[in-house]
Amino acid sequence: MQELPATAPVFLVGPMGAGKTTIGKALASALGRSFLDHDDLIVNLMHMSIPDIFAQYGEPFFRDLEHDCLRLLLTGDFSRFSREQLYAAIGSDKLPAVIAGGGGIAMRADNRALIKEHAQCLYLHIDVEAQYQRVKDDTNRPMIYVDDIKGRLSELFTKRDPQWREIAHAIIEADDSIAHIVQKCQVALALK
């Protein structure tokens, strides 16, 4: 991977339930930097929940939107949304320094290329059983609107794990306390 400046954003990837938002907020605080959940940006820009976007427009539309928002955050390409819309959606005129990506963000090669080129990527890793325990009752995750949630999580993990690994500067085991996970993230960022 190419050498990135220390000011490059930190981008967290991993399965749903890995704690990307929780760890991202705590890591940003520890680093004295700003935080943004990528899915929250999409919700704020579209004025719709993720399940509503999936229901009304479908997954391909959501994935295109996800890519456009990623490109906007990492490169400043305002092709779909204006600077004013972005700043209104994030509540600031400063781009975030720590970003939690959605679980499927690394599915597209163009997203992986953007993340590798413009961000320090940390993969928050948890096993499927821990993931299941964390998300089984969450009604805001359209990818698991199925009867066999654990089977679906296993299927998604098998497909996405190699993609997360491809772009990760470090893999962080996320089966610990928030403080210890943040500490592991800080060590990984200092070593890169």
Side-chain angles (χ1 to χ4, degrees):
M1 290 202 186
Q2 71 179 22
E3 189 63 30
L4 292 164
T7 56
V10 176
F11 201 92
L12 303 177
V13 297
M16 65 181 86
K20 296 180 298 288
T21 299
T22 301
I23 299 306
K25 288 176 181 177
L27 178 61
S29 178
L31 297 173
R33 299 172 85 181
S34 59
F35 170 78
L36 178 72
D37 183 300
H38 187 260
D39 283 348
D40 287 349
L41 173 63
I42 294 169
V43 167
N44 291 342
L45 285 168
M46 292 296 293
H47 306 287
M48 298 175 76
S49 71
I50 301 287
D52 287 346
I53 295 169
F54 267 72
Q56 186 165 343
Y57 299 107
E59 185 178 356
F61 174 87
F62 175 80
R63 297 299 174 196
D64 287 343
L65 181 60
E66 184 178 57
H67 171 76
D68 290 347
C69 289
L70 178 66
R71 192 175 64 237
L72 174 62
L73 286 172
L74 297 181
T75 70
D77 180 345
F78 290 92
S79 58
R80 184 187 289 242
F81 299 101
S82 71
R83 186 177 311 273
E84 292 74 24
Q85 287 173 301
L86 172 66
Y87 293 159
I90 64 176
S92 171
D93 63 354
K94 304 276 188 284
L95 291 177
V98 178
I99 304 165
I105 193 102
M107 289 182 356
R108 287 176 50 159
D110 51 358
N111 288 349
R112 293 192 303 274
L114 279 169
I115 294 167
K116 283 196 283 193
E117 183 176 349
H118 297 286
Q120 304 170 81
C121 184
L122 301 178
Y123 169 13
L124 299 183
H125 178 270
I126 59 169
D127 64 38
V128 172
E129 181 58 37
Q131 184 187 9
Y132 173 73
Q133 292 304 321
R134 293 180 186 185
V135 304
K136 65 183 177 185
D137 298 320
D138 191 334
T139 60
N140 199 36
R141 299 183 186 269
M143 293 302 293
I144 58 170
Y145 289 173
V146 295
D147 291 332
D148 180 10
I149 295 172
K150 194 182 289 187
R152 177 67 170 150
L153 291 173
S154 181
E155 172 191 328
L156 290 171
F157 184 85
T158 299
K159 188 183 304 179
R160 295 174 177 179
D161 178 67
Q163 298 164 338
W164 295 318
R165 288 178 184 275
E166 175 190 328
I167 61 177
H169 288 88
I171 298 170
I172 308 297
E173 291 302 326
D175 57 355
D176 207 339
S177 70
I178 293 170
H180 283 123
I181 297 168
V182 168
Q183 187 176 41
K184 289 189 257 186
C185 291
Q186 289 177 290
V187 168
L189 291 170
L191 294 176
K192 72 149 223 63

